[in-house]
Amino acid sequence: METLLATDNHPIRYVSLGKGQPIVFLHGWTSGAREWLPFASELAGSHQVFCWDARGHGTHEPPPCDQMAISQMAADLDRLLTEHDLRDAVLVGHSMGALISWEYIRSYGLGRLGGLCIVDQSPKLVTDIDWPLGIYGDFDYDRNQRFLQRLEQDFAEGVLELAAHGLNRRSRENYEANSRGFQQMRDYLRGLNAPALTRCWDSLTQQDYRDLLPQIDLPTLLIYGDSSQFYGSEVSQWVEAQLPFPELHIYPKADHSPHLWHKERFVHDLEHWCRRL
């Protein structure tokens, strides 16, 4: 992996491949660059692609917990874009990666971007009496505080419970059966830095990008799963209605990671959409 230093001198590690219109893949919470590498390899023939490990993620040492805010992650992204002088770049953000994309736009504008791809995310994770379109449709401040406490008690199990106790029956059944997939994910999560990622989650759940969406006058590709653990169909419909230039795709029998359930379709949809930019 290549490395450059962030504004606070923390190393940003990333992989870059290919030439052409830039695509920057931004992974979800607890994930890393590896999630996007198969897609980057597919697209590197016609694009310059970047996959990073966001700070606190991947295998490298995390920064101090007070530097795990999403604002710093957006600054890291700006550092990557400016270091390579990327123009007309497409940000592809899954889950946390979508939030980082929105935070980047709020802080640094649209000048370097040519398009945006959002994968299964709400602009506000925590629900309240006026906002039912966050996690589960019923994940308010108090519930989030209990979840943060659970992460401090047992980070790995807390993350698995978040996926299992949501809207996807298959995830719940697999968790209760302690399927091999959940066992492997548990082992993986136990190797991560729990304090840094808990602080990251706290920062993510404080954000609200609802007012930003109408200002994003760029083509925006929306990819949502019809069986997401976290979001019902109302979320994608609401996001689509707020954006000036949206294109919405709903992937069948796909959970919070629709790109992983339909890899070939996702590459096809993203590549053909990019050609029209």
Side-chain angles (χ1 to χ4, degrees), residues 32-267:
R34 183 176 295 180
E35 172 187 338
W36 285 120
L37 287 177
F39 303 92
S41 297
E42 288 284 335
L43 294 163
S46 54
H47 295 272
Q48 183 181 18
V49 292
F50 294 82
C51 306
W52 76 352
D53 282 338
R55 61 174 53 218
H57 295 71
T59 58
H60 55 283
E61 286 297 314
C65 285
D66 62 0
Q67 296 175 16
M68 284 299 299
I70 192 172
S71 58
Q72 185 60 61
M73 294 181 179
D76 295 345
L77 178 56
D78 181 62
R79 182 83 175 85
L80 180 65
L81 295 176
T82 55
E83 173 70 15
H84 290 274
D85 193 25
L86 300 185
R87 305 286 178 175
D88 295 322
V90 172
L91 302 182
V92 180
H94 170 231
S95 194
M96 179 186 78
L99 300 178
I100 295 173
S101 298
W102 287 326
E103 180 70 19
Y104 169 83
I105 291 170
R106 172 166 284 170
S107 299
Y108 300 96
L110 300 168
R112 290 188 175 274
L113 304 183
L116 184 65
C117 176
I118 299 298
V119 183
D120 210 70
Q121 187 56 293
S122 168
K124 184 177 187 292
L125 304 190
V126 174
T127 62
D128 57 40
I129 192 171
D130 299 316
W131 178 248
L133 301 183
I135 295 172
Y136 303 160
D138 182 22
F139 195 83
D140 62 13
Y141 174 84
D142 291 338
R143 190 168 182 178
N144 188 48
Q145 292 305 304
R146 292 194 296 272
F147 177 62
L148 286 166
Q149 293 172 4
R150 179 61 172 143
L151 293 178
E152 292 174 354
Q153 295 166 354
D154 188 334
F155 178 82
E157 210 62 34
V159 174
L160 296 181
E161 290 166 357
L162 183 71
H165 296 164
L167 306 178
N168 185 299
R169 185 181 65 182
R170 180 177 55 209
S171 289
R172 182 165 58 253
E173 292 173 347
N174 286 338
Y175 177 74
E176 292 171 352
N178 195 25
S179 69
R180 182 177 181 182
F182 271 95
Q183 293 177 40
Q184 292 174 333
M185 183 59 67
R186 184 179 292 109
D187 291 340
Y188 165 76
L189 291 167
R190 285 174 175 168
L192 302 181
N193 187 289
L197 292 174
T198 300
R199 175 65 187 91
C200 178
W201 179 267
D202 188 26
S203 177
L204 300 179
T205 53
Q206 293 179 39
Q207 309 309 314
D208 182 353
Y209 300 105
R210 289 176 292 177
D211 64 338
L212 178 70
L213 268 58
Q215 304 172 40
I216 303 176
D217 57 349
L218 290 176
T220 305
L221 179 64
L222 304 172
I223 307 292
Y224 284 76
D226 72 351
S227 302
S228 174
Q229 291 95 329
F230 307 123
Y231 307 118
S233 60
E234 300 85 359
V235 174
S236 59
Q237 294 168 7
W238 190 92
V239 172
E240 180 187 26
Q242 305 309 305
L243 291 163
F245 304 109
E247 180 176 315
L248 174 61
H249 295 249
I250 304 295
Y251 286 6
K253 299 180 180 179
D255 61 14
H256 182 55
S257 299
H259 56 300
L260 298 182
W261 284 92
H262 296 274
K263 293 180 180 179
E264 291 183 2
R265 177 176 174 181
F266 178 78
V267 170

